[in-house]
Amino acid sequence: MKTKRYAVIGHPIGHTMSPFIHKRLFRLAGVDAEYGVIDIAPENFDYEYKETLSRLDGYNITIPHKQRVIPLLDELDSKAKLYGSVNTVYNNNGKAKGYTTDPDGFLKALEYARIPLADRVVILGCGGAARTMAFEAALNGAILELAVRERSFKKAEKLADEIKAAVSGADVKCVDITKLSGDIKTLVNATPVGMSPYTDAQPITDSQLKNCENVFDAIYNPLETMLIKKAKANGSNAEGGMSMLVWQAVVAHKHWDGSDYDVRDIEKLCVDAYEELKNK
Ligand code: NAP
């Protein structure tokens, strides 16, 4: 059988973890495939994209092309439509279908960490990652709070309005991160606070963290942020963001070739991906 061809397309694309993760996933599934890196500058996108697609069986697409690619596709998955964003494309004999795998990657990471997305869920931040996580929490019926700095309150309210318009019955409000109090079922950090090299920072205080039964941190460098370490020390159930990065890649393979994976292989891939990241 012919070797399949995949790649990640973006600009700039020098530090991507995608080849490491996807090559491992192809190997684990026994799929004979190559996975490359293609840098396409925005001004060359329309021409180079068409040239490139004809040579690929599927690809990942990242910043700054996640929206730009949409009008060039033949079909969009329902989540890609909801988010207006595509990070994975399957080329089915010339017909290109676009998906976004971040939402399902987030859900899978929570599922395997046994972190519920129900009851009182607090998401810290209202940027790109928070948007996906907040929509998924609302779709899951959570009582959702977006906890942000005072200066981003308007942006958070806009996101809350967007969620209410798209998800019928969504229960979502915005709160000042410094005033966060009371028991929280699941806390999700979607800010970069605590990310390498500023690993001794945390987005909320120790006493706020003590009230959190479950904690998910989107940050994947370091593997365990100070927030995660302290949450574990408090006896909370806690998980870092590398699992989301890897699971969203696993979901892409589901779309490309239907592959299934042993959860122990995925756990090992998370640890190895972090070692690879440190060497980069
Ligand atoms: P982003 O769009 O820049 O959003 C960052 C958010 O964090 C903003 O709402 C920002 O609010 C807030 N924030 C920044 N500093 C803060 C502070 N000191 N206190 C409170 N809020 C603060 O970034 P993003 O793309 O969403 O990424 C956020 C994090 O998620 C990054 O660490 C990224 O690596 C990680 N991530 C992980 C995955 C994964 O697969 N694991 C996927 C995507 C992203 P202001 O408007 O107030 O600045």
Side-chain angles (χ1 to χ4, degrees):
M1 219 158 79
K2 147 176 163 306
T3 302
K4 297 206 174 235
R5 289 192 160 73
Y6 296 85
V8 57
I9 302 172
H11 180 80
I13 192 84
H15 294 290
T16 177
M17 285 295 291
S18 295
F20 181 84
I21 295 172
H22 288 288
K23 281 179 185 175
R24 171 77 67 87
L25 290 172
F26 281 125
R27 208 162 57 239
L28 285 169
V31 174
D32 179 13
E34 289 172 356
Y35 190 98
V37 175
I38 301 172
D39 190 322
I40 303 184
E43 60 275 22
N44 302 332
F45 189 74
D46 289 359
Y47 169 73
E48 284 195 33
Y49 170 79
K50 280 180 196 145
E51 285 285 290
T52 303
L53 176 67
S54 59
R55 293 186 276 114
L56 297 173
D57 296 286
Y59 56 92
N60 297 116
I61 189 146
T62 185
I63 292 166
H65 306 312
K66 286 178 164 195
Q67 283 83 33
R68 176 85 179 266
V69 71
I70 291 175
L72 304 173
L73 300 172
D74 299 297
E75 207 183 330
L76 268 193
D77 166 74
S78 59
K79 284 243 162 126
K81 268 188 206 151
L82 174 69
Y83 288 99
S85 178
V86 162
N87 73 349
T88 298
V89 175
Y90 174 50
N91 180 3
N92 188 5
N93 296 318
K95 288 241 176 254
K97 181 166 180 181
Y99 303 87
T100 180
T101 65
D102 286 332
D104 287 350
F106 173 56
L107 295 179
K108 281 275 181 203
L110 292 187
E111 181 190 329
Y112 282 98
R114 297 179 199 282
I115 295 179
L117 204 51
D119 302 328
R120 185 181 178 203
V121 172
V122 174
I123 295 180
L124 308 178
C126 62
R131 187 170 185 274
T132 299
M133 294 161 161
F135 263 91
E136 291 306 311
L139 286 166
N140 222 49
I143 302 160
L144 176 62
E145 288 169 41
L146 304 174
V148 297
R149 297 192 271 201
E150 211 181 333
R151 68 177 203 190
S152 352
F153 224 83
K154 275 219 167 80
K155 189 176 167 198
E157 279 178 334
K158 192 165 167 274
L159 174 58
D161 287 344
E162 233 189 289
I163 293 171
K164 283 182 206 156
V167 182
S168 116
D171 184 344
V172 45
K173 67 177 179 186
C174 304
V175 297
D176 181 335
I177 192 166
T178 61
K179 300 204 172 98
L180 199 58
S181 64
D183 291 343
I184 294 169
K185 187 71 172 180
T186 296
L187 178 90
V188 178
N189 178 32
T191 80
V193 184
M195 191 163 81
S196 179
Y198 306 107
T199 51
D200 55 357
Q202 62 187 52
I204 55 170
T205 64
D206 288 349
S207 58
Q208 287 173 318
L209 183 60
K210 282 216 167 82
N211 298 329
C212 302
E213 195 178 320
N214 301 278
V215 178
F216 182 81
D217 197 333
I219 294 172
Y220 51 81
N221 185 14
L223 204 53
E224 286 202 340
T225 56
M226 193 157 79
L227 188 79
I228 292 295
K229 283 184 185 152
K230 284 185 176 174
K232 284 186 175 173
N234 290 341
S236 307
N237 180 27
E239 177 75 16
M242 185 55 89
S243 57
M244 177 174 163
L245 189 71
V246 170
W247 278 109
Q248 65 79 27
V250 171
V251 175
H253 285 251
K254 192 98 197 144
H255 296 311
W256 289 335
D257 50 39
S259 299
D260 275 320
Y261 296 89
D262 187 320
V263 70
R264 280 163 304 184
D265 288 331
I266 301 305
E267 280 165 6
K268 177 149 188 344
L269 177 50
C270 289
V271 174
D272 294 348
Y274 179 58
E275 288 306 312
E276 174 72 11
L277 186 67
K278 277 198 298 187
N279 293 334
K280 264 182 180 278

